[in-house]
């Protein structure tokens, strides 16, 4: 019989916390079981395998990131929306390093929940890009460039890649401003 109060969703949320604290690459079933105060075999009543748990965390992470971006973009348009989402994106990566890493891979086509979570994130980006009059293939190219710029910065920052004595926040603000300028002329 499953432990009272333990559900697959609770296991995923606990795994998300473990990923944030220990790192995505150090997420194990044993670490989650320990945090939940159960024996490892007990977890198998709620999650089929480590890969199934990781899949659940990837979906959770993508939903959380999508919601952070959506909340930031509410009431904004164009460059203002881009700046708000860029700040939310970076903040999410800072506050949730394990979840951020889990959110990076594109979903497998056969994982409907992860596909839906990724679509919610993409809806935010598409709304921003519509403010720049971008649609279709232009929007896809622009979304990829935007993600590459933001992710590249966040990834380098997290890895200690910015050692020069210039304010990193200033550099990020300038990166986002340059993306805004680039997107303004993207459709030409």
């Amino acid at each position: 019989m499953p432990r009272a109060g333990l559900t697959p969703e609770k296991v995923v949320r606990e795994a998300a916390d473990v990923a944030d604290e220990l790192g995505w690459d150090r997420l194990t079933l044993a670490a989650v079981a320990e945090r939940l105060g159960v024996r490892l075999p007990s977890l198998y009543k709620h999650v089929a395998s480590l890969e199934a748990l990781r899949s659940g965390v990837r979906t959770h992470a993508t939903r959380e990131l999508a919601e952070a971006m959506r909340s930031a973009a509410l009431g904004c348009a164009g460059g203002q929306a881009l700046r708000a989402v860029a700040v939310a994106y970076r903040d999410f990566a800072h506050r949730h390093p394990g979840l951020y890493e889990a959110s990076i891979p594109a979903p497998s086509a056969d994982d409907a929940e992860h596909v839906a979570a990724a679509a919610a994130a993409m809806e935010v980006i598409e709304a921003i890009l519509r403010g720049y009059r971008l649609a279709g293939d232009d929007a896809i190219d622009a979304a990829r460039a935007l993600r590459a710029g933001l992710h590249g910065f966040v990834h380098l920052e997290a890895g200690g890649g910015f050692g020069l004595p210039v304010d990193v926040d200033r550099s990020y603000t300038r990166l986002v401003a340059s993306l805004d300028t680039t997107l303004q002329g993207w459709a030409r």
Side-chain angles (χ1 to χ4, degrees), residues 3-18:
R3 181 173 173 227
L6 201 56
T7 65
E9 294 78 20
K10 185 173 182 179
V11 172
V12 166
R13 283 193 308 274
E14 197 65 43
D17 290 344
V18 169

Side-chain angles (χ1 to χ4, degrees), residues 63-75 85 88 120-121 123-124:
R63 277 188 196 126
E64 292 291 310
L65 179 56
E67 178 56 27
M69 293 189 316
R70 187 193 67 73
S71 292
L74 280 178
V85 166
E123 286 173 9
V124 175

Side-chain angles (χ1 to χ4, degrees), residues 77-148:
Q80 183 184 22
L82 174 64
R83 286 186 293 281
V85 166
V87 167
Y89 184 92
R90 184 173 175 224
D91 182 59
F92 182 86
H94 286 176
R95 287 183 300 110
H96 301 289
L99 285 184
Y100 176 73
E101 192 172 338
S103 75
I104 294 169
S108 169
D110 63 347
D111 187 345
E113 288 186 49
H114 193 193
V115 167
M122 191 59 190
E123 286 173 9
V124 175
I125 301 303
E126 288 170 341
I128 291 170
L129 296 176
R130 281 193 300 274
Y132 292 96
R133 297 175 309 285
L134 297 174
D137 290 350
D138 282 341
I140 291 171
D141 293 340
R144 287 175 175 162
L146 178 60
R147 186 177 189 206

Side-chain angles (χ1 to χ4, degrees):
M1 169 173 269
R3 181 173 173 227
L6 201 56
T7 65
E9 294 78 20
K10 185 173 182 179
V11 172
V12 166
R13 283 193 308 274
E14 197 65 43
D17 290 344
V18 169
D20 278 343
E21 291 170 20
L22 302 179
W24 175 243
D25 59 333
R26 299 187 67 195
L27 175 62
T28 65
L29 289 170
V32 175
E34 183 179 333
R35 289 275 303 257
L36 289 168
V38 299
R39 293 179 42 228
L40 181 58
S42 299
L43 276 188
Y44 288 106
K45 295 175 181 145
H46 306 284
V47 63
S49 64
L50 177 59
E51 184 47 43
L53 179 62
R54 286 179 168 272
S55 177
V57 173
R58 280 190 293 269
T59 299
H60 173 75
T62 304
R63 277 188 196 126
E64 292 291 310
L65 179 56
E67 178 56 27
M69 293 189 316
R70 187 193 67 73
S71 292
L74 280 178
C76 301
Q80 183 184 22
L82 174 64
R83 286 186 293 281
V85 166
V87 167
Y89 184 92
R90 184 173 175 224
D91 182 59
F92 182 86
H94 286 176
R95 287 183 300 110
H96 301 289
L99 285 184
Y100 176 73
E101 192 172 338
S103 75
I104 294 169
S108 169
D110 63 347
D111 187 345
E113 288 186 49
H114 193 193
V115 167
M122 191 59 190
E123 286 173 9
V124 175
I125 301 303
E126 288 170 341
I128 291 170
L129 296 176
R130 281 193 300 274
Y132 292 96
R133 297 175 309 285
L134 297 174
D137 290 350
D138 282 341
I140 291 171
D141 293 340
R144 287 175 175 162
L146 178 60
R147 186 177 189 206
L150 298 181
H151 170 71
F153 193 99
V154 165
H155 182 72
L156 287 166
E157 182 179 25
F162 296 133
L164 298 174
V166 173
D167 181 39
V168 177
D169 293 338
R170 177 178 175 258
S171 298
Y172 190 71
T173 298
R174 294 189 78 180
L175 168 69
V176 175
S178 71
L179 289 168
D180 177 40
T181 299
T182 298
L183 291 172
Q184 289 175 36
W186 196 277
R188 284 187 223 131

